[in-house]
Amino acid sequence: MTLFDGITARVLDTSRLSVNILEREGDDPNTPPERTVVFIHGNASSALFWQENMLHLPHDLRVLAIDLRGYGGTEHAPIDATRGVRDFSDDIAVTLEELGIPTAHLVGWSMGGGVVLQYALDHPVLSLTLLSPISPYGFGGTRRDGSRLTDDDAGTGGGAANPDFVQRLNDHDLTADAPTSPRSVFRSGYVTSGYTTEHEDVWVESMLSTSTADGNYPGDQVASDNWPGFAAGTTGVCNTMAPKHFDVSGIVDLNPKPPIAWVHGTADPIVSDTSFYDYNYLGQLGIVPDWPGAEVAPPQEMVSQTRDVLDAYRAAGGEVTEIALEGVGHSAHLEAPGEFRHAILTVIGYVGTPANPSPPTETIILKSED
């Protein structure tokens, strides 16, 4: 069973596409927006990943999670990557409209962090919790200041996905027989070494819900005269995050500015200043041959870019709290759920009796200037 006791799923037919949502049994649909929390998952995952945290948030909140297009039970409609992640954020907007939710507190993980930032640029939100979010300048292909390395975003987008991983998604591979199997990728990329859980099968099934149809994951690519020989295309998931299509650094100029909690693990191998998913960093390590050097193809400083933009957001009057969890990987909601929920309750200004009031057990480094 992929649904936990206390979690229900239903499909909404919206004006854009059919959208699958997860809800918590007993939540009041008339809960006001200021007590409504909406979870948005990342790439190669689905809303299933949020279930534990949904169940353990206070029961006077309304909590729900949305499957993005091409994931989980949502329609596998193609993605126009030239719009960045706006196909995703527009889908969220019509879903919330269908549910009668004019605004809410949004939580986004990884790519979902970029999606909720785009949503905040286009729609009012009450707060943002960013969990291991992609850089505000996209995934790969930029310098520290966000400027693009090449005009075609060489080394980013659909061509950067491992084709054997894509095939194993398509084959619904449940094994751990190869480093590129979804289960192996979960163990090596999503969480830190030594993390174990009785729910691993659910998380792997969530990854396997990723559509590999044309226009979904990973997306197309084009040939490039720049190293490593390919560049971002115009359709599919991975191309939505290419820097020519994606830039949400404009949040600095938002008015009003919702409070932001930025939660990330210091051992994250995916979103990092030294990301093992960044072609330029792999080139620097010698894993991808013929790297042209740091002057031409420097690794993207993803975490530093996020900190720079959020520092500017704070300097412009916004409220930002950074929570860096020592030794935690890409999935703090799984590895340090108490700290993660504490961050959500703090940023939404929750007043009440938490469902799980146990104090955090992991190290939390608060780097807000407040």
Side-chain angles (χ1 to χ4, degrees):
M1 295 292 292
T2 55
L3 285 181
F4 293 2
D5 289 342
I7 298 293
T8 63
R10 61 178 169 132
V11 175
L12 299 176
D13 291 323
T14 76
S15 59
R16 290 175 58 82
L17 77 172
S18 296
V19 178
N20 186 63
I21 64 169
L22 302 188
E23 297 172 288
R24 190 172 57 178
E25 289 181 356
D27 281 3
D28 184 355
N30 295 314
T31 301
E34 53 270 20
R35 285 191 174 244
T36 300
V37 180
V38 179
F39 291 91
I40 305 299
H41 65 83
N43 199 1
S45 64
S46 74
L48 292 175
F49 267 92
W50 296 118
Q51 294 180 92
E52 284 185 298
N53 287 283
M54 291 172 67
L55 288 171
H56 287 95
L57 282 172
H59 288 283
D60 55 351
L61 298 176
R62 183 185 185 187
V63 297
L64 60 141
I66 298 173
D67 279 337
L68 299 176
R69 65 168 61 195
Y71 298 94
T74 289
E75 184 178 338
H76 293 178
I79 298 160
D80 179 0
T82 65
R83 304 186 69 234
V85 295
R86 289 179 182 87
D87 275 358
F88 293 136
S89 62
D90 288 351
D91 293 345
I92 294 168
V94 298
T95 302
L96 296 183
E97 180 180 3
E98 182 72 23
L99 290 168
I101 301 174
T103 186
H105 302 281
L106 266 59
V107 182
W109 173 37
S110 196
M111 180 185 74
V115 173
V116 300
L117 285 169
Q118 181 63 59
Y119 186 94
L121 287 172
D122 300 331
H123 307 278
V125 298
L126 298 178
S127 75
L128 296 171
T129 301
L130 308 176
L131 171 60
S132 302
I134 60 170
S135 163
Y137 301 112
F139 201 94
T142 59
R143 301 176 184 86
R144 172 74 177 263
D145 64 1
S147 58
R148 293 163 59 200
L149 300 178
T150 64
D151 290 339
D152 60 359
D153 295 335
T156 75
N162 187 299
D164 193 59
F165 174 69
V166 177
Q167 186 60 50
R168 289 172 183 273
L169 287 175
N170 192 54
D171 294 341
H172 204 84
D173 180 8
L174 290 167
T175 74
D177 293 344
T180 50
S181 75
R183 190 178 299 274
S184 295
V185 170
F186 171 80
R187 293 174 179 175
S188 65
Y190 286 38
V191 294
T192 49
S193 177
Y195 170 81
T196 59
T197 171
E198 62 180 318
H199 301 305
E200 182 177 271
D201 287 347
V202 178
W203 310 148
V204 174
E205 286 288 354
S206 175
M207 296 172 69
L208 290 169
S209 75
T210 302
S211 172
T212 56
D214 288 346
N216 292 130
Y217 183 86
D220 63 339
Q221 60 178 297
V222 297
S224 174
D225 293 332
N226 301 301
W227 183 88
F230 69 86
T234 60
T235 65
V237 176
C238 294
N239 292 313
T240 67
M241 296 173 279
K244 65 179 173 181
H245 303 316
F246 179 91
D247 183 345
V248 293
S249 61
I251 62 161
V252 171
D253 300 320
L254 273 182
N255 185 25
K257 290 179 167 60
I260 294 177
W262 172 30
V263 184
H264 62 104
T266 63
D268 187 343
I270 297 178
V271 177
S272 166
D273 285 1
T274 53
S275 169
F276 287 97
Y277 290 71
D278 177 6
Y279 250 71
N280 290 357
Y281 184 59
L282 295 178
Q284 185 180 71
L285 294 177
I287 296 172
V288 179
D290 303 321
W291 181 60
E295 288 296 318
V296 175
Q300 184 187 18
E301 298 176 77
M302 303 178 186
V303 172
S304 295
Q305 288 177 331
T306 296
R307 186 172 293 118
D308 290 346
V309 170
L310 293 183
D311 281 349
Y313 186 88
R314 183 187 297 117
E319 176 187 338
V320 178
T321 300
E322 177 184 353
I323 303 172
L325 297 168
E326 292 291 343
V328 170
H330 190 60
S331 307
H333 58 312
L334 304 182
E335 299 176 75
E339 291 82 346
F340 174 62
R341 291 193 295 271
H342 178 76
I344 295 173
L345 294 177
T346 300
V347 78
I348 72 174
Y350 177 78
V351 177
T353 303
N356 183 4
S358 301
T361 58
E362 300 286 340
T363 301
I364 297 181
I365 303 173
L366 297 177
K367 296 186 177 179
S368 172
E369 293 178 356
D370 296 339

